[in-house]
mmCIF file of all heavy atoms in Angstrom:
data_model
loop_
_atom_site.group_PDB
_atom_site.id
_atom_site.type_symbol
_atom_site.label_atom_id
_atom_site.label_comp_id
_atom_site.label_asym_id
_atom_site.label_seq_id
_atom_site.Cartn_x
_atom_site.Cartn_y
_atom_site.Cartn_z
ATOM 1 N N LEU A 1 5.734 2.684 10.003
ATOM 2 C CA LEU A 1 6.709 3.674 10.461
ATOM 3 C C LEU A 1 7.877 2.987 11.174
ATOM 4 O O LEU A 1 9.039 3.315 10.939
ATOM 5 C CB LEU A 1 6.023 4.684 11.383
ATOM 6 C CG LEU A 1 6.848 5.866 11.858
ATOM 7 C CD1 LEU A 1 7.350 6.702 10.695
ATOM 8 C CD2 LEU A 1 6.026 6.726 12.802
ATOM 9 N N GLY A 2 7.555 2.009 12.007
ATOM 10 C CA GLY A 2 8.594 1.265 12.720
ATOM 11 C C GLY A 2 9.533 0.538 11.779
ATOM 12 O O GLY A 2 10.748 0.535 11.975
ATOM 13 N N TYR A 3 8.981 -0.073 10.739
ATOM 14 C CA TYR A 3 9.829 -0.769 9.762
ATOM 15 C C TYR A 3 10.706 0.224 8.998
ATOM 16 O O TYR A 3 11.873 -0.028 8.768
ATOM 17 C CB TYR A 3 8.986 -1.586 8.781
ATOM 18 C CG TYR A 3 8.371 -2.822 9.400
ATOM 19 C CD1 TYR A 3 6.994 -3.020 9.393
ATOM 20 C CD2 TYR A 3 9.168 -3.799 9.998
ATOM 21 C CE1 TYR A 3 6.438 -4.143 9.966
ATOM 22 C CE2 TYR A 3 8.616 -4.929 10.572
ATOM 23 C CZ TYR A 3 7.241 -5.095 10.557
ATOM 24 O OH TYR A 3 6.690 -6.216 11.126
ATOM 25 N N ASP A 4 10.123 1.368 8.600
ATOM 26 C CA ASP A 4 10.881 2.367 7.845
ATOM 27 C C ASP A 4 11.998 3.001 8.676
ATOM 28 O O ASP A 4 13.009 3.422 8.128
ATOM 29 C CB ASP A 4 9.956 3.466 7.319
ATOM 30 C CG ASP A 4 9.105 2.999 6.154
ATOM 31 O OD1 ASP A 4 9.399 1.925 5.579
ATOM 32 O OD2 ASP A 4 8.136 3.704 5.810
ATOM 33 N N LEU A 5 11.805 3.086 9.990
ATOM 34 C CA LEU A 5 12.786 3.740 10.857
ATOM 35 C C LEU A 5 13.658 2.774 11.650
ATOM 36 O O LEU A 5 14.429 3.207 12.499
ATOM 37 C CB LEU A 5 12.080 4.682 11.839
ATOM 38 C CG LEU A 5 11.503 5.954 11.257
ATOM 39 C CD1 LEU A 5 10.766 6.740 12.317
ATOM 40 C CD2 LEU A 5 12.595 6.800 10.624
ATOM 41 N N SER A 6 13.557 1.498 11.382
ATOM 42 C CA SER A 6 14.267 0.511 12.204
ATOM 43 C C SER A 6 15.768 0.755 12.278
ATOM 44 O O SER A 6 16.392 0.465 13.289
ATOM 45 C CB SER A 6 13.991 -0.905 11.698
ATOM 46 O OG SER A 6 14.481 -1.058 10.381
ATOM 47 N N ASP A 7 16.346 1.331 11.225
ATOM 48 C CA ASP A 7 17.786 1.593 11.225
ATOM 49 C C ASP A 7 18.141 2.979 11.756
ATOM 50 O O ASP A 7 19.309 3.287 11.959
ATOM 51 C CB ASP A 7 18.338 1.457 9.803
ATOM 52 C CG ASP A 7 17.760 2.493 8.854
ATOM 53 O OD1 ASP A 7 16.601 2.930 9.069
ATOM 54 O OD2 ASP A 7 18.450 2.874 7.894
ATOM 55 N N MET A 8 17.129 3.822 12.001
ATOM 56 C CA MET A 8 17.391 5.219 12.297
ATOM 57 C C MET A 8 16.824 5.689 13.631
ATOM 58 O O MET A 8 17.294 6.684 14.168
ATOM 59 C CB MET A 8 16.712 6.021 11.200
ATOM 60 C CG MET A 8 17.369 7.115 10.505
ATOM 61 S SD MET A 8 19.114 7.108 10.344
ATOM 62 C CE MET A 8 19.282 8.851 10.194
ATOM 63 N N GLY A 9 15.806 5.042 14.125
ATOM 64 C CA GLY A 9 15.177 5.543 15.338
ATOM 65 C C GLY A 9 14.212 4.549 15.947
ATOM 66 O O GLY A 9 14.068 3.427 15.470
ATOM 67 N N SER A 10 13.548 5.012 16.994
ATOM 68 C CA SER A 10 12.593 4.175 17.728
ATOM 69 C C SER A 10 11.199 4.768 17.609
ATOM 70 O O SER A 10 11.038 5.971 17.405
ATOM 71 C CB SER A 10 12.984 4.113 19.207
ATOM 72 O OG SER A 10 14.284 3.601 19.352
ATOM 73 N N VAL A 11 10.199 3.906 17.772
ATOM 74 C CA VAL A 11 8.803 4.331 17.672
ATOM 75 C C VAL A 11 8.060 3.912 18.929
ATOM 76 O O VAL A 11 8.147 2.761 19.361
ATOM 77 C CB VAL A 11 8.120 3.711 16.430
ATOM 78 C CG1 VAL A 11 6.639 4.038 16.394
ATOM 79 C CG2 VAL A 11 8.809 4.172 15.154
ATOM 80 N N ILE A 12 7.338 4.880 19.507
ATOM 81 C CA ILE A 12 6.416 4.609 20.614
ATOM 82 C C ILE A 12 5.022 4.820 20.062
ATOM 83 O O ILE A 12 4.662 5.934 19.664
ATOM 84 C CB ILE A 12 6.645 5.567 21.805
ATOM 85 C CG1 ILE A 12 8.066 5.458 22.346
ATOM 86 C CG2 ILE A 12 5.611 5.295 22.898
ATOM 87 C CD1 ILE A 12 8.403 6.502 23.404
ATOM 88 N N ALA A 13 4.234 3.752 20.001
ATOM 89 C CA ALA A 13 2.857 3.845 19.522
ATOM 90 C C ALA A 13 1.924 3.987 20.718
ATOM 91 O O ALA A 13 1.977 3.184 21.651
ATOM 92 C CB ALA A 13 2.493 2.610 18.708
ATOM 93 N N VAL A 14 1.079 5.008 20.678
ATOM 94 C CA VAL A 14 0.110 5.265 21.736
ATOM 95 C C VAL A 14 -1.281 5.067 21.138
ATOM 96 O O VAL A 14 -1.659 5.778 20.200
ATOM 97 C CB VAL A 14 0.254 6.712 22.279
ATOM 98 C CG1 VAL A 14 -0.790 6.975 23.352
ATOM 99 C CG2 VAL A 14 1.657 6.957 22.804
ATOM 100 N N ALA A 15 -2.027 4.090 21.664
ATOM 101 C CA ALA A 15 -3.348 3.798 21.098
ATOM 102 C C ALA A 15 -4.151 2.933 22.057
ATOM 103 O O ALA A 15 -3.628 2.473 23.083
ATOM 104 C CB ALA A 15 -3.201 3.081 19.752
ATOM 105 N N GLN A 16 -5.384 2.696 21.685
ATOM 106 C CA GLN A 16 -6.229 1.790 22.460
ATOM 107 C C GLN A 16 -5.624 0.390 22.392
ATOM 108 O O GLN A 16 -5.037 0.012 21.376
ATOM 109 C CB GLN A 16 -7.641 1.765 21.890
ATOM 110 C CG GLN A 16 -8.356 3.088 21.973
ATOM 111 C CD GLN A 16 -9.687 3.053 21.236
ATOM 112 O OE1 GLN A 16 -10.058 2.052 20.625
ATOM 113 N NE2 GLN A 16 -10.392 4.156 21.298
ATOM 114 N N PRO A 17 -5.784 -0.387 23.464
ATOM 115 C CA PRO A 17 -5.194 -1.741 23.480
ATOM 116 C C PRO A 17 -5.581 -2.586 22.273
ATOM 117 O O PRO A 17 -4.743 -3.311 21.731
ATOM 118 C CB PRO A 17 -5.728 -2.340 24.780
ATOM 119 C CG PRO A 17 -5.983 -1.155 25.662
ATOM 120 C CD PRO A 17 -6.431 -0.054 24.735
ATOM 121 N N SER A 18 -6.819 -2.489 21.817
ATOM 122 C CA SER A 18 -7.246 -3.291 20.668
ATOM 123 C C SER A 18 -6.485 -2.914 19.398
ATOM 124 O O SER A 18 -6.200 -3.770 18.560
ATOM 125 C CB SER A 18 -8.749 -3.137 20.431
ATOM 126 O OG SER A 18 -9.076 -1.781 20.178
ATOM 127 N N MET A 19 -6.130 -1.634 19.259
ATOM 128 C CA MET A 19 -5.354 -1.197 18.093
ATOM 129 C C MET A 19 -3.899 -1.647 18.216
ATOM 130 O O MET A 19 -3.280 -2.034 17.223
ATOM 131 C CB MET A 19 -5.421 0.333 17.941
ATOM 132 C CG MET A 19 -6.819 0.876 17.719
ATOM 133 S SD MET A 19 -7.644 0.164 16.293
ATOM 134 C CE MET A 19 -6.785 0.944 14.978
ATOM 135 N N LEU A 20 -3.365 -1.590 19.431
ATOM 136 C CA LEU A 20 -1.965 -1.993 19.631
ATOM 137 C C LEU A 20 -1.764 -3.472 19.332
ATOM 138 O O LEU A 20 -0.680 -3.881 18.928
ATOM 139 C CB LEU A 20 -1.509 -1.660 21.053
ATOM 140 C CG LEU A 20 -1.389 -0.170 21.379
ATOM 141 C CD1 LEU A 20 -1.023 0.022 22.843
ATOM 142 C CD2 LEU A 20 -0.383 0.520 20.477
ATOM 143 N N GLU A 21 -2.818 -4.274 19.535
ATOM 144 C CA GLU A 21 -2.720 -5.706 19.219
ATOM 145 C C GLU A 21 -2.485 -5.943 17.733
ATOM 146 O O GLU A 21 -1.954 -6.978 17.333
ATOM 147 C CB GLU A 21 -3.990 -6.433 19.676
ATOM 148 C CG GLU A 21 -4.100 -6.546 21.178
ATOM 149 C CD GLU A 21 -5.408 -7.184 21.619
ATOM 150 O OE1 GLU A 21 -6.109 -7.793 20.781
ATOM 151 O OE2 GLU A 21 -5.723 -7.075 22.813
ATOM 152 N N LEU A 22 -2.871 -4.971 16.909
ATOM 153 C CA LEU A 22 -2.673 -5.097 15.460
ATOM 154 C C LEU A 22 -1.217 -4.863 15.049
ATOM 155 O O LEU A 22 -0.831 -5.214 13.941
ATOM 156 C CB LEU A 22 -3.579 -4.108 14.720
ATOM 157 C CG LEU A 22 -5.081 -4.286 14.930
ATOM 158 C CD1 LEU A 22 -5.843 -3.151 14.266
ATOM 159 C CD2 LEU A 22 -5.542 -5.636 14.411
ATOM 160 N N CYS A 23 -0.430 -4.275 15.930
ATOM 161 C CA CYS A 23 0.990 -4.022 15.628
ATOM 162 C C CYS A 23 1.751 -5.342 15.626
ATOM 163 O O CYS A 23 1.778 -6.052 16.620
ATOM 164 C CB CYS A 23 1.609 -3.092 16.672
ATOM 165 S SG CYS A 23 1.069 -1.399 16.554
ATOM 166 N N GLU A 24 2.354 -5.649 14.507
ATOM 167 C CA GLU A 24 3.130 -6.881 14.383
ATOM 168 C C GLU A 24 4.620 -6.648 14.566
ATOM 169 O O GLU A 24 5.370 -7.571 14.829
ATOM 170 C CB GLU A 24 2.874 -7.507 13.009
ATOM 171 C CG GLU A 24 1.431 -7.915 12.808
ATOM 172 C CD GLU A 24 1.151 -8.384 11.393
ATOM 173 O OE1 GLU A 24 2.059 -8.305 10.528
ATOM 174 O OE2 GLU A 24 0.028 -8.840 11.149
ATOM 175 N N ASN A 25 5.053 -5.397 14.434
ATOM 176 C CA ASN A 25 6.465 -5.054 14.537
ATOM 177 C C ASN A 25 6.889 -5.105 16.000
ATOM 178 O O ASN A 25 6.434 -4.320 16.820
ATOM 179 C CB ASN A 25 6.700 -3.650 13.959
ATOM 180 C CG ASN A 25 8.147 -3.265 13.911
ATOM 181 O OD1 ASN A 25 8.980 -3.793 14.640
ATOM 182 N ND2 ASN A 25 8.464 -2.328 13.039
ATOM 183 N N GLU A 26 7.772 -6.041 16.317
ATOM 184 C CA GLU A 26 8.205 -6.218 17.702
ATOM 185 C C GLU A 26 9.153 -5.116 18.170
ATOM 186 O O GLU A 26 9.420 -4.984 19.352
ATOM 187 C CB GLU A 26 8.857 -7.587 17.874
ATOM 188 C CG GLU A 26 7.859 -8.715 17.688
ATOM 189 C CD GLU A 26 8.495 -10.082 17.839
ATOM 190 O OE1 GLU A 26 9.646 -10.174 18.302
ATOM 191 O OE2 GLU A 26 7.823 -11.067 17.481
ATOM 192 N N GLY A 27 9.645 -4.295 17.238
ATOM 193 C CA GLY A 27 10.536 -3.200 17.590
ATOM 194 C C GLY A 27 9.816 -1.951 18.064
ATOM 195 O O GLY A 27 10.443 -0.997 18.506
ATOM 196 N N ILE A 28 8.504 -1.951 17.970
ATOM 197 C CA ILE A 28 7.707 -0.791 18.394
ATOM 198 C C ILE A 28 7.385 -0.918 19.876
ATOM 199 O O ILE A 28 7.027 -1.991 20.359
ATOM 200 C CB ILE A 28 6.392 -0.708 17.594
ATOM 201 C CG1 ILE A 28 6.690 -0.401 16.131
ATOM 202 C CG2 ILE A 28 5.471 0.349 18.171
ATOM 203 C CD1 ILE A 28 5.449 -0.364 15.274
ATOM 204 N N TYR A 29 7.507 0.199 20.590
ATOM 205 C CA TYR A 29 7.120 0.243 21.998
ATOM 206 C C TYR A 29 5.679 0.694 22.055
ATOM 207 O O TYR A 29 5.309 1.700 21.453
ATOM 208 C CB TYR A 29 8.049 1.181 22.772
ATOM 209 C CG TYR A 29 9.452 0.649 22.769
ATOM 210 C CD1 TYR A 29 10.298 0.898 21.695
ATOM 211 C CD2 TYR A 29 9.905 -0.147 23.804
ATOM 212 C CE1 TYR A 29 11.583 0.371 21.669
ATOM 213 C CE2 TYR A 29 11.191 -0.675 23.786
ATOM 214 C CZ TYR A 29 12.011 -0.411 22.714
ATOM 215 O OH TYR A 29 13.272 -0.939 22.691
ATOM 216 N N LYS A 30 4.852 -0.068 22.750
ATOM 217 C CA LYS A 30 3.415 0.174 22.746
ATOM 218 C C LYS A 30 2.951 0.663 24.104
ATOM 219 O O LYS A 30 3.244 0.038 25.128
ATOM 220 C CB LYS A 30 2.679 -1.116 22.380
ATOM 221 C CG LYS A 30 3.102 -1.684 21.054
ATOM 222 C CD LYS A 30 2.555 -3.080 20.856
ATOM 223 C CE LYS A 30 3.275 -3.742 19.710
ATOM 224 N NZ LYS A 30 3.145 -5.163 19.688
ATOM 225 N N LEU A 31 2.216 1.780 24.098
ATOM 226 C CA LEU A 31 1.631 2.334 25.316
ATOM 227 C C LEU A 31 0.131 2.455 25.101
ATOM 228 O O LEU A 31 -0.325 3.135 24.180
ATOM 229 C CB LEU A 31 2.226 3.704 25.646
ATOM 230 C CG LEU A 31 3.729 3.741 25.933
ATOM 231 C CD1 LEU A 31 4.175 5.169 26.205
ATOM 232 C CD2 LEU A 31 4.084 2.851 27.112
ATOM 233 N N ALA A 32 -0.615 1.793 25.971
ATOM 234 C CA ALA A 32 -2.068 1.771 25.842
ATOM 235 C C ALA A 32 -2.693 3.026 26.451
ATOM 236 O O ALA A 32 -2.182 3.593 27.420
ATOM 237 C CB ALA A 32 -2.631 0.523 26.515
ATOM 238 N N THR A 33 -3.812 3.432 25.842
ATOM 239 C CA THR A 33 -4.600 4.517 26.419
ATOM 240 C C THR A 33 -5.642 3.904 27.346
ATOM 241 O O THR A 33 -6.067 2.770 27.115
ATOM 242 C CB THR A 33 -5.295 5.339 25.313
ATOM 243 O OG1 THR A 33 -6.077 4.471 24.494
ATOM 244 C CG2 THR A 33 -4.287 6.073 24.466
ATOM 245 N N PRO A 34 -6.025 4.584 28.404
ATOM 246 C CA PRO A 34 -5.597 5.930 28.771
ATOM 247 C C PRO A 34 -4.128 5.936 29.173
ATOM 248 O O PRO A 34 -3.655 5.065 29.908
ATOM 249 C CB PRO A 34 -6.497 6.316 29.938
ATOM 250 C CG PRO A 34 -6.988 5.016 30.496
ATOM 251 C CD PRO A 34 -6.991 4.035 29.373
ATOM 252 N N LEU A 35 -3.429 6.928 28.648
ATOM 253 C CA LEU A 35 -1.985 7.016 28.797
ATOM 254 C C LEU A 35 -1.588 7.507 30.182
ATOM 255 O O LEU A 35 -2.143 8.473 30.692
ATOM 256 C CB LEU A 35 -1.438 7.991 27.737
ATOM 257 C CG LEU A 35 0.061 8.167 27.653
ATOM 258 C CD1 LEU A 35 0.737 6.848 27.285
ATOM 259 C CD2 LEU A 35 0.396 9.223 26.617
ATOM 260 N N LYS A 36 -0.639 6.806 30.774
ATOM 261 C CA LYS A 36 -0.077 7.234 32.051
ATOM 262 C C LYS A 36 1.163 8.070 31.744
ATOM 263 O O LYS A 36 2.085 7.598 31.078
ATOM 264 C CB LYS A 36 0.281 6.032 32.911
ATOM 265 C CG LYS A 36 -0.918 5.210 33.329
ATOM 266 C CD LYS A 36 -0.477 4.004 34.140
ATOM 267 C CE LYS A 36 -1.656 3.185 34.565
ATOM 268 N NZ LYS A 36 -2.080 2.225 33.540
ATOM 269 N N LYS A 37 1.173 9.309 32.228
ATOM 270 C CA LYS A 37 2.255 10.241 31.925
ATOM 271 C C LYS A 37 3.622 9.676 32.309
ATOM 272 O O LYS A 37 4.567 9.729 31.527
ATOM 273 C CB LYS A 37 2.005 11.575 32.638
ATOM 274 C CG LYS A 37 3.054 12.615 32.355
ATOM 275 C CD LYS A 37 2.688 13.979 32.908
ATOM 276 C CE LYS A 37 2.862 14.014 34.385
ATOM 277 N NZ LYS A 37 2.748 15.371 34.946
ATOM 278 N N ASN A 38 3.716 9.095 33.510
ATOM 279 C CA ASN A 38 5.023 8.590 33.959
ATOM 280 C C ASN A 38 5.494 7.423 33.091
ATOM 281 O O ASN A 38 6.690 7.242 32.870
ATOM 282 C CB ASN A 38 5.006 8.211 35.442
ATOM 283 C CG ASN A 38 4.040 7.090 35.752
ATOM 284 O OD1 ASN A 38 3.120 6.815 34.990
ATOM 285 N ND2 ASN A 38 4.241 6.457 36.890
ATOM 286 N N GLU A 39 4.572 6.630 32.580
ATOM 287 C CA GLU A 39 4.936 5.517 31.695
ATOM 288 C C GLU A 39 5.496 6.054 30.366
ATOM 289 O O GLU A 39 6.500 5.553 29.851
ATOM 290 C CB GLU A 39 3.709 4.644 31.444
ATOM 291 C CG GLU A 39 4.003 3.324 30.797
ATOM 292 C CD GLU A 39 2.757 2.456 30.673
ATOM 293 O OE1 GLU A 39 1.638 2.900 30.975
ATOM 294 O OE2 GLU A 39 2.930 1.302 30.243
ATOM 295 N N LEU A 40 4.863 7.099 29.836
ATOM 296 C CA LEU A 40 5.344 7.727 28.608
ATOM 297 C C LEU A 40 6.741 8.318 28.815
ATOM 298 O O LEU A 40 7.653 8.076 28.022
ATOM 299 C CB LEU A 40 4.381 8.831 28.148
ATOM 300 C CG LEU A 40 4.856 9.706 26.976
ATOM 301 C CD1 LEU A 40 5.061 8.876 25.721
ATOM 302 C CD2 LEU A 40 3.878 10.838 26.733
ATOM 303 N N ILE A 41 6.920 9.046 29.898
ATOM 304 C CA ILE A 41 8.198 9.710 30.156
ATOM 305 C C ILE A 41 9.307 8.688 30.385
ATOM 306 O O ILE A 41 10.420 8.835 29.869
ATOM 307 C CB ILE A 41 8.081 10.689 31.348
ATOM 308 C CG1 ILE A 41 7.075 11.800 31.017
ATOM 309 C CG2 ILE A 41 9.425 11.268 31.733
ATOM 310 C CD1 ILE A 41 7.381 12.585 29.750
#
């Protein structure tokens, strides 16, 4: 999704830390669960 939208928008991925480690796209913003509301906002 991040690669497809790189020219059009931004991506915030919310997942367990182990899953976020699989993200190779450096343009994606990663937020680990348990999610902190203020961090998301």
Side-chain angles (χ1 to χ4, degrees):
L1 186 60
Y3 288 122
D4 286 346
L5 288 176
S6 63
D7 64 331
M8 226 28 206
S10 302
V11 174
I12 301 173
V14 178
Q16 296 173 358
S18 60
M19 299 303 287
L20 292 176
E21 289 176 15
L22 299 174
C23 288
E24 297 173 355
N25 185 337
E26 294 179 12
I28 293 178
Y29 296 84
K30 303 169 195 162
L31 298 178
T33 55
L35 184 62
K36 295 178 180 85
K37 182 172 75 170
N38 63 340
E39 192 176 6
L40 172 62
I41 297 304

